[in-house]
Amino acid sequence: MRLSSPANVTRAIFPSLLTGVRRAIAGEVRVVRALLWWWPLWALLTCLLAAMTAAYQAPRAYAIDVGAPDDQAYVHNFHARVPDESPTYRWSDVYGYVSFPGLGGSRPFTVTLQLDTARPAPVTIIVNGETLFSRPLQPGWQTISLRVDEKHPRALASRDTIIEIRAPDYRTPDLPTEPKGIKLASVLLDQSRTGSFITPAYSTLVLLGGALLLVYLLVGRSLYGFGTIRRPRAWAILVALAFSVSLVLWLALSHIAASVASPHLVVTAVSALLLLIAVERLLGSSRYALSGAQRRVLAFSVAFAFGLRYGGMALPQSVIIDMPWHMKWLRTLLLGDWQSLYFPGGLSTVPREWGLDLLIPKSPLFYFIFAPLSALPFDIETSVKWLICFLDATLVLAVFWLVLRVGGSRWAAVAGAGLYAIVPLAFRAFSYGILPTILAQWLAACLVVALVAVGARLWTITQWAALMLLAAFALLSFPTVALFLTLTLLLWTAIRWLNRCGAGMAMTVWRIPALLLAGWALAIWAYYDLYISSVIASAT
């Protein structure tokens, strides 16, 4: 038979794969339909939308301390924080924006800004597309108040408030390459306590309602198959009820905080649900003969690990200490200046507050690996957070496999994997934002798993080359992790040598230090040799 189209070729080559995918999708559709086809869920969703609309009727005052760590969710097109002066502030660009997403419309409010032009300059302030202020200002800190009421119907009707600040290009002597506008220290938005009905932000209601449905599906899917459909529905609706109460209270306390977080809640829930489904399906086709409960708990541990990490890290209100540093160097690479990362320079210097003049070879491998994410139609910082959280969540499966490998029972392996999902050390690493170290730990764990998997068998040329390349990447990824991995593998070699059985086993033991030497040779040839003389000179 002649194959006339690529689709026919695909079906001829991968018939079982296509059939399996179709069956899996059909099965998941049946599960989703069984969980959603239940009137109490839709009654809860209706009540949530009504309660959130009512919560919008509580007017609030919102103060943004520009220059504080948590201002990053609301200021856009601004330069780095200047926290060491009083008041703290940021320089805007020629065009700077302060957003209050999901504020609600039709209720009058007052905007108060504390700013300094640092030189005589004309300043224009636009609120929701209407110019409310435009005149020259003298240098020095000053306060400007703007009233948005019925005299400005366009600005009043907007359900998302955006304040745009424009000023002429200004270059400071310390950073002559950065165009600046004005210094902004604080923004206060105060809604009137009386007035018309506050029109809620529809996008916020839709996203928070979607987050409720996704949480319900995540819990229901985790319990589906254990007993009748009534059990997963009951537990899922209880969790969804508690979640909806939390959403309403959060929205009542701060319209803008809940609105800013709403898309990230949806992305987190969707990702966790898809991870749960994918991991459980993969485990079902594995050779470990896990029971349905074991597969479900292990899959939920992976999804829960991702949700905890990304759910907290991706919130715009979260302050990830080192994130601006990493984004600076990632954007430097994306601009084509790879030499700044590869050769000794700013990336490899210690922070000024250390009071030391040392070079540390902070490998640019992290930035080179994550740079392709810029091709995706998403914010680069959010994409980096998503991928690093996904990589760390996959270590749940690595822990499970290692416990099985050393002779643990299946439930012991599942318990160990679940423990890693909630281990506090991981959250400390993510809160500080030491992303290259997290990547290095993941690469080191992959190398250990690969070595254990190969074991005492005869290594083929392909396996040897792959392990050597993985070892080089792990050693290149971060110097402290490279040192830890080296000591770990040497200790592993010593233990295996002491417990060797026969001449053949004695020969295989020496493959690990040989692999380590080969990995170090590649790492030194590729990068570390640039730093040998510089590090010795700076240390002495």
Side-chain angles (χ1 to χ4, degrees), residues 179-190:
K180 294 182 173 67
I182 59 114
K183 298 177 181 178
L184 186 63
S186 66
V187 180
L188 174 65
L189 189 152
D190 190 7

Side-chain angles (χ1 to χ4, degrees), residues 91-264:
W91 274 102
S92 74
D93 210 323
V94 176
Y95 295 85
Y97 304 89
V98 181
S99 65
F100 294 85
L103 177 71
S106 305
R107 177 67 65 91
F109 60 89
T110 301
V111 176
T112 304
L113 302 94
Q114 185 182 11
L115 55 84
D116 176 13
T117 59
R119 83 284 184 194
V123 175
T124 301
I125 302 176
I126 302 170
V127 179
N128 295 336
E130 287 197 41
T131 301
L132 302 187
F133 181 93
S134 182
R135 69 168 185 258
L137 293 178
Q138 295 301 313
W141 287 108
Q142 49 200 296
T143 301
I144 297 175
S145 292
L146 305 172
R147 180 69 175 173
V148 179
D149 51 21
E150 291 78 5
K151 298 178 182 178
H152 307 282
R154 179 182 174 186
L156 184 64
S158 178
R159 295 177 293 274
D160 298 305
T161 294
I162 299 178
I163 303 168
E164 180 182 352
I165 304 169
R166 299 180 181 179
D169 188 340
Y170 177 64
R171 307 295 174 109
T172 55
D174 56 333
L175 294 170
T177 60
E178 291 186 357
K180 294 182 173 67
I182 59 114
K183 298 177 181 178
L184 186 63
S186 66
V187 180
L188 174 65
L189 189 152
D190 190 7
Q191 288 180 306
S192 297
R193 297 298 178 266
T194 59
S196 60
F197 176 83
I198 298 178
T199 306
Y202 301 139
S203 60
T204 299
L205 299 186
V206 170
L207 288 170
L208 293 180
L212 172 71
L213 290 177
L214 288 166
V215 168
Y216 170 83
L217 287 175
L218 181 61
V219 177
R221 179 62 179 79
S222 301
L223 298 174
Y224 188 83
F226 298 109
T228 63
I229 188 62
R230 297 174 59 183
R231 178 178 294 179
R233 280 177 174 174
W235 282 106
I237 202 71
L238 286 176
V239 174
L241 176 61
F243 183 69
S244 63
V245 171
S246 301
L247 290 180
V248 171
L249 292 176
W250 192 13
L251 192 63
L253 291 173
S254 177
H255 304 166
I256 62 171
S259 296
V260 166
S262 57
H264 300 280

